Every structure is written in C-alpha cells, then in structure tokens.
Amino acid sequence: MAKRNYSRREFVRQNSLAGLGAAIAMGVSPSLLANPKPLSDLPAILGGQKIRTKSWPKWPIWDPATDEERVIQVLRSGIWSRAGVVAEFEKKWAETIGTKRCLALVNGTNSLITALVQLGIGGGDEVIVPPYTFIATVAAILQTGAIPVFVDTDPETFQIDPGKIEARITPRTKAILPVHILGLPADMIRIMAIAKKHNLLVVEDACQAWLAEIDHKKMGTFGNAGCFSFQNSKNIPIGEGGAIVSDNEAFMDRCYSYHNYGDAYGTVIGNVNSDTLILGTKLRMTEYQAAIGLAQLKRLDEQTTIRNENAAYLSAQIKAIPGILPYRLYDKVTRAAFHLYPFRYKKEEFKGLSRDQFLKALSAEGIPASSGYTQLNKMPYIADAFKTKNFKLMYSSDMLDYNKYMEHNQCPANDTLCEEAVWFEQSMLLAGKSDMDDIAMAIDRIHKNADKIKAK
Ligand SMILES: Cc1ncc(COP(=O)(O)O)c(C=O)c1O
C-alpha cells in the first residue's frame, strides 16, 4: 500500500492554492470556479467523463516504520492477555478525554452494556434513546432488560431532539442515552439540564465521537459515563475495542470488576476466600490490541483537525446547491469528530431524482457515498426481545404489547431523515481541499443534469 503522509504541513500546502487563491476570487464558495475542470459536461452515469479517477485515502492507516515496533514487542513478549500495554492505553485515553479513569474493553457494544448495568439499569427501567444510531446502542439497553424509549431526531443536526425528551419521561425512566452520532455532538448542555431536573442518569454513546467537544469539553465527559468504540472503521481503528470513561472511581472499579469475572478490584474489595464479589463476565482487551490503539492514537488529534477543516470547507462548497442541506452543529460545539460527513438530500430540488439514483450518479463520478441508517425504532429485534422469557418475567403483558409500544415510539422526523440522509466516510475528509472540490463538482453536475439522469 502506498504510504500517505497526512501531515498538517502537507495538508496546508496541498490546499493553499485552491483554497486561498480561489477564496480571493470568489468569496464563500471559491474553488468551484478555480478548478479547471468543466462543470457542465455530461454526467459519468450518462457516459460522460468521470470527475474523479483518483483513489480516496485508504482506511485504516498503518505505517510499518512508526507503528509496528510496539506491536512486535508485545507479540514477542508472549504477554498477550491484559497487562501493562492495556493499562498504558487506558491512561492515555483518560488523559486525552479529560477523565480520571478509563477502562478498555472488547468493543463499544459491551462498553455500553457494562456502563448501563453498573449504573444499576435493568428490568423495569426505561432508557431514552435516539432512533438515529447504530443498532448496538439500542441492543445494549435491551440486553440489560430495560426498555428503549425513542425520542425523535433533530433533522438539522442528526442528533436526538432535546426539545422532545421531557415529553417521553415517565416514572420508569432511569436514564438518557444520547448518541453523538456521526461524531457530531448531541446538545449535552440541554440534555444534562433535563437529566438534572428529573434526576436521571446519563450514559453517552460517544462510540463515534473521539475528541468531539462542546465548549472545549470532550464528549463522554458530560454524563455519568462515556463509551467509545475502536472497531476497524472508527477514527481510532483497532479492529475491535471499546472503552468506558468516568470520574467516578467506585463506578469504574465496578466496571473493571465486571469485565474481569467480577473479581475484586479497587473499592470492590475481596479476600483470598471470596475473590469473586459481583456478577461479572469477561470483556478484557488484549495487549496487542492496545499496542495498535497506541499507534493510532498518535495521529488522532491532527486527523481530527483535518476532518473539521475539510468538513467546513465542503459544507461551504455544497450548501448553495439547491436540495443539499449539510449538517448543522449546535452553537457551542468547538470540535466534531466527523466519523461521517452527513447532508440531507431533497429530491424535489433535483427534479424528483431519487436518493438511490443520486447515489449511483455520485458513485459513477468517483465519489462513494451511502444512505446511512434505517428506522431503528421499527425493526423486528424489539418485538423479539419482548417475546423472550426474561422480558415476560420482568414486564406485564400490557407493557409488552408491541403494537402499543410502536404507537408510542413513532419518530416521524427520523423517518424522513432516514429517507434523505447521505453520508461520506471519515477517511474521505482526510484528503485535500481539491478532493472536496471534486465532491462539490459532482453534486453540482448531477443537480444540473437531474432530469436527464432521472429519464435514463
Ligand atoms: C453509535 C455506535 N454505538 C455503538 C457502537 C458499538 O461499537 P462496537 O462495534 O465497537 O461494538 C458503534 C459502532 O459500531 C456505534 O457506531
């Protein structure tokens, strides 16, 4: 694989011509004009020349020169189960996020389950959650025995709509599980105020939100616990991996104990005759995973800056195209993670060209994009959970009436969002500004030829 250098210096150099020169010429949306390629030619899907033949940055990034030494050391040491390297990764991640403690685990899903269980959430409880998320968020709630209560999405930000949370609180509500989906922060200031007013716990699903911030405070540090994922596509890719962060020492001791069979740890105190103190399981990260994580962590800050710069630049390029509505960040967001770059596609502004046709036309231009999440509040896994032995023991048949549950958990704004969303992957945001221009040109070209593409 060709080695790519994503140094900030190179990024600035690479982009200075298109960015600066064109900005002087054009103002807000500068480099569409500065780019020498014609905009009005035939779309690639209709046989025209592709806007882009160049490949996009590969993911994950692995540089043998800087990344392999530590991993090889671990492999040669024969100490592969949890030991010093995992502890080092935890210390670094806690420092990076700004919490007292971090516990590394096998994945983000089990980080969420562990945090929820150790905060005392279980059968009989309700947990408020957005429907615009990855399945693992909701599955984690069901795994504890609690019932997910969906709050509709704010389509402009793609996040849980804070204005709709209070209406969904009942005497059974125990926690809010906001998700900083796509790496864009949910409105934690309003969410924490609601949680405080109603005495609710907050577990942040920050599985896509490494280094994202509101008012320079990192996501994952607002609630009682923050959970992260380091799965292969993530901005810190380890293959699999997860973490819980918190300042609450006793809670973190319990999480540690739980992830290690329930054995004594910290304030979870035992003695030689009765070491296994709480109901636990085994969710330990390995030493070689932690070594990979340490290598990836070194680049995260710089990559996050580049993603933020490119996302803002791309938004400025495409927001004037009718029917393209880029994400909005809440006012106090100082940094996002941009695990994905999202916008809403309004087909009525594209002569009725369906999102599917739009995505195919984009792909033909050399711009890969996807349609994102489906309606998670309407999938069969919830009905399946309601049919299990455990749920039948924990809840009345009235509470497990699925039709009634569905009626109460409609999320119309989310339904529309799921039909309109378009995503670009985070690794595309590590390219240069001229690559962002390619995206803008492709969308513009499709917009100008929407009727012809639709008639194809
Ligand atoms: C929002 C969200 N929550 C939870 C998870 C679960 O993380 P993992 O895949 O590491 O179990 C993911 C990752 O895929 C995610 O994107």
Side-chain angles (χ1 to χ4, degrees):
M1 196 199 301
K3 193 187 147 202
R4 293 192 64 116
N5 177 7
Y6 295 107
S7 77
R8 188 160 160 70
R9 209 179 319 124
E10 190 205 44
F11 175 74
V12 170
R13 180 174 54 73
Q14 205 179 352
N15 298 310
S16 58
L17 269 184
L20 183 65
I24 292 163
M26 286 281 294
V28 182
S29 196
S31 52
L32 284 182
L33 259 200
N35 200 305
K37 290 176 195 163
L39 286 176
S40 57
D41 54 1
L42 197 62
I45 198 161
L46 299 179
Q49 204 185 353
K50 252 180 155 178
I51 282 189
R52 185 184 173 87
T53 47
K54 209 173 132 193
S55 62
W56 290 95
K58 296 256 188 312
W59 195 260
I61 293 169
W62 186 253
D63 184 346
T66 57
D67 300 343
E68 281 183 4
E69 192 185 339
R70 196 73 197 272
V71 179
I72 289 167
Q73 253 177 27
V74 167
L75 293 177
R76 290 185 179 160
S77 75
I79 303 169
W80 297 344
S81 283
R82 190 198 152 96
V85 187
V86 174
E88 186 183 331
F89 178 78
E90 289 173 338
K91 189 165 178 282
K92 284 233 161 80
W93 190 240
E95 276 166 14
T96 303
I97 294 299
T99 49
K100 281 191 194 151
R101 294 272 294 271
C102 166
L103 174 70
L105 300 101
V106 289
N107 54 38
T109 308
N110 278 285
S111 305
L112 286 165
I113 296 170
T114 303
L116 290 168
V117 167
Q118 292 313 320
L119 286 168
I121 289 157
D125 296 333
E126 290 177 353
V127 177
I128 286 176
V129 70
Y132 203 71
T133 183
F134 182 62
I135 179 66
T137 317
V138 188
I141 296 169
L142 289 164
Q143 288 292 351
T144 71
I147 290 189
V149 171
F150 291 97
V151 167
D152 210 350
T153 310
D154 171 355
E156 287 189 3
T157 61
F158 293 70
Q159 308 303 310
I160 189 169
D161 188 336
K164 292 181 178 162
I165 292 177
E166 279 192 285
R168 302 290 282 132
I169 294 172
T170 74
R172 284 179 179 270
T173 310
K174 190 86 175 266
I176 307 175
L177 206 173
V179 185
H180 310 299
I181 203 66
L182 317 179
L184 316 180
D187 188 349
M188 289 313 293
I189 294 173
R190 282 183 73 186
I191 291 168
M192 291 312 292
I194 295 165
K196 195 168 170 206
K197 181 172 159 196
H198 296 273
N199 198 22
L200 301 176
L201 295 161
V202 175
V203 174
E204 288 175 71
D205 183 337
C207 284
Q208 298 185 3
W210 326 259
L211 305 193
E213 302 171 347
I214 291 177
D215 249 344
H216 304 285
K217 185 172 159 59
K218 301 270 188 314
M219 309 323 295
T221 66
F222 285 81
N224 299 80
C227 298
F228 294 89
S229 166
F230 308 120
Q231 174 271 341
N232 226 56
S233 70
K234 299 299 196 291
N235 299 18
I236 308 181
I238 298 184
E240 301 292 350
I244 303 171
V245 297
S246 174
D247 284 337
N248 183 333
E249 303 268 10
F251 161 72
M252 289 303 289
D253 286 347
R254 283 190 67 88
C255 289
Y256 188 105
S257 173
Y258 177 81
H259 106 302
N260 190 34
Y261 308 112
D263 282 1
Y265 188 84
T267 49
V268 183
I269 297 163
N271 62 52
V272 276
N273 298 320
S274 60
D275 256 347
T276 301
L277 299 166
I278 67 172
L279 173 62
T281 179
K282 189 188 187 190
L283 303 167
R284 298 188 313 220
M285 184 182 265
T286 63
E287 292 284 275
Y288 42 85
Q289 284 175 291
I292 293 171
L294 286 169
Q296 299 296 343
L297 191 48
K298 278 190 253 160
R299 328 181 227 269
L300 181 67
D301 187 60
E302 185 177 50
Q303 289 174 338
T304 304
T305 301
I306 295 171
R307 287 188 190 101
N308 274 265
E309 288 176 357
N310 269 334
Y313 179 82
L314 180 58
S315 289
Q317 301 305 304
I318 64 176
K319 70 181 182 197
I321 302 172
I324 301 295
L325 302 173
Y327 66 87
R328 179 174 81 79
L329 295 175
Y330 288 108
D331 289 346
K332 294 203 166 151
V333 171
T334 40
R335 204 179 198 195
F338 290 105
H339 180 52
L340 292 142
Y341 175 102
F343 63 89
R344 282 178 291 156
Y345 170 76
K346 297 279 183 189
K347 68 175 180 197
E348 45 293 7
E349 299 285 350
F350 278 68
K351 307 275 172 37
L353 183 74
S354 72
R355 180 179 61 175
D356 208 35
Q357 288 172 299
F358 172 75
L359 290 172
K360 280 187 186 135
L362 260 186
S363 167
E365 300 291 357
I367 315 290
S370 68
S371 56
Y373 293 128
T374 47
Q375 299 160 3
L376 211 53
N377 53 326
K378 296 182 174 174
M379 287 188 198
Y381 65 96
I382 300 172
D384 187 64
F386 285 7
K387 283 186 219 144
T388 59
K389 248 186 188 175
N390 284 356
F391 270 73
K392 283 183 181 160
L393 283 168
M394 291 185 293
Y395 297 95
S396 67
S397 55
D398 185 52
M399 289 194 72
L400 297 183
D401 180 335
Y402 185 64
N403 291 332
K404 223 161 141 185
Y405 176 84
M406 283 295 288
E407 241 175 69
H408 288 127
N409 283 278
Q410 292 299 308
C411 296
N414 188 66
D415 292 349
T416 307
L417 182 65
C418 289
E419 285 161 14
E420 294 181 344
V422 174
W423 295 351
F424 297 126
E425 287 186 3
Q426 53 87 12
S427 50
M428 292 168 75
L429 294 178
L430 294 177
K433 285 212 171 79
S434 63
D435 301 291
M436 302 302 106
D437 290 340
D438 286 345
I439 298 177
M441 275 193 293
I443 296 174
D444 193 53
R445 193 193 233 189
I446 295 164
H447 181 257
K448 288 189 174 120
N449 292 280
D451 46 355
K452 286 189 223 130
I453 299 171
K454 195 180 168 207
K456 182 182 173 269

